[in-house]
Amino acid sequence: MDETPATVPDTLPTAFLDRALFALRPFGEMVIRMELAFGHELDADRLARAVELAMDAEPVLGCRLDAEPKHGEWIRLPPSERPGLCVVGEAEEYERERARTVDPEVGPLLSACLLQRPEGDHLLIKVAHEVADAGAVKRIASLLATLYGRLEGEPGYTPTPNVGGSRSLEQLTRQIPWTAKPAIMASFIREALLQNASGPCLTVPLEQEEDLEPSFPTRTLSRERAREVVDFAKGHD
């Protein structure tokens, strides 16, 4: 029988930003992806265990969203309903997994896909934006690396769940003086208006097919070209 660690509650409260981002899902995909390329083969079994433990170390990652209560709540999923890592051997399978979204009402909020290749493995990490921004996804990747390394010498290792931390924006906003908040809000409104008032643009026509899934091509810039982009951006604010 599946058991949730005793120190982790069955439900976790949602933060205001969780609910705000969930409400924005109809307008855009709320998933953050990170890809890691390795020049060697990874231990798939150990990595799968690391993904499982990451959802215990940060319990909200192993949840699904119940949006019915007034303020919503995160429901912890049993281990059998937390398929954290998939392992594939073909690039096409990897691309399909990369295009697939993360549904917070189904969960879990963290998933990973390992593409095994002779020249070196490729790891995809996906996290629901409701519970993480880009900086947090970097920390999750670091957590996975730490767990993966720890399990090599201690196969039975289990992390201490983080059940006392705050995910509220108040930990940031309470550091900002009230006198600065009007200027910050005015800047936000101005930028939002500028984005909405941007000129016309052209989009590539998309055929209306029921099973059509988006793809995300990857392009790599040389160091010199990347520096040109950075210099241009600095010169144009």
Side-chain angles (χ1 to χ4, degrees):
M1 183 176 66
D2 294 321
E3 295 182 357
T4 300
T7 53
V8 179
D10 293 331
T11 62
L12 299 169
T14 60
F16 169 77
L17 195 56
D18 299 348
R19 301 188 293 275
L21 289 171
F22 179 72
L24 291 173
R25 274 200 169 248
F27 305 100
E29 190 183 36
M30 295 294 168
V31 179
I32 300 179
R33 296 170 174 83
M34 175 182 284
E35 295 187 61
L36 305 172
F38 298 87
H40 57 274
E41 179 182 341
L42 298 178
D43 185 326
D45 292 335
R46 180 152 48 103
L47 181 58
R49 180 59 178 159
V51 174
E52 293 175 9
L53 291 179
M55 288 187 271
D56 286 337
E58 295 293 342
V60 72
L61 297 177
C63 290
R64 65 171 179 85
L65 177 65
D66 182 359
E68 290 301 322
K70 181 178 179 180
H71 296 296
E73 59 185 2
W74 296 112
I75 309 295
R76 282 282 290 176
L77 294 169
S80 62
E81 296 180 22
R82 290 188 259 148
L85 179 72
C86 70
V87 181
V88 299
E90 300 294 334
E92 291 77 11
E93 296 177 272
Y94 182 81
E95 292 292 336
R96 284 195 293 270
E97 183 61 31
R98 180 163 55 180
R100 191 171 292 117
T101 189
V102 176
D103 186 345
E105 292 188 281
V106 176
L109 308 178
L110 165 68
S111 68
C113 181
L114 179 66
L115 172 61
Q116 295 180 316
R117 303 183 302 178
E119 63 272 25
D121 290 352
H122 222 80
L123 176 63
L124 167 69
I125 300 170
K126 297 190 297 185
V127 185
H129 194 14
E130 283 85 351
V131 295
D133 59 10
V137 173
K138 292 179 182 179
R139 296 188 64 177
I140 292 170
S142 176
L143 172 63
L144 287 172
T146 300
L147 291 169
Y148 181 81
R150 186 75 176 264
L151 289 170
E152 182 177 19
E154 299 179 57
Y157 172 75
T158 56
T160 301
N162 176 20
V163 293
S166 171
R167 299 183 50 256
S168 170
L169 270 180
E170 290 183 359
Q171 59 183 318
L172 172 63
T173 57
R174 64 169 170 256
Q175 307 297 327
I176 303 174
W178 279 102
T179 53
K181 291 181 179 179
I184 294 173
M185 181 57 68
S187 177
F188 171 77
I189 294 173
R190 183 175 65 252
E191 291 296 326
L193 291 174
L194 287 173
Q195 290 180 16
N196 291 331
S198 60
C201 61
L202 298 176
T203 58
V204 177
L206 201 60
E207 295 181 7
Q208 298 301 316
E209 297 182 15
E210 293 183 1
D211 59 347
L212 186 65
E213 292 187 347
S215 61
F216 304 90
T218 301
R219 300 291 182 267
T220 303
L221 293 176
S222 67
R223 187 181 297 273
E224 293 73 19
R225 294 292 291 171
R227 173 53 57 188
E228 290 179 14
V229 173
V230 171
D231 291 342
F232 178 86
K234 288 181 178 178
H236 292 76
D237 194 21

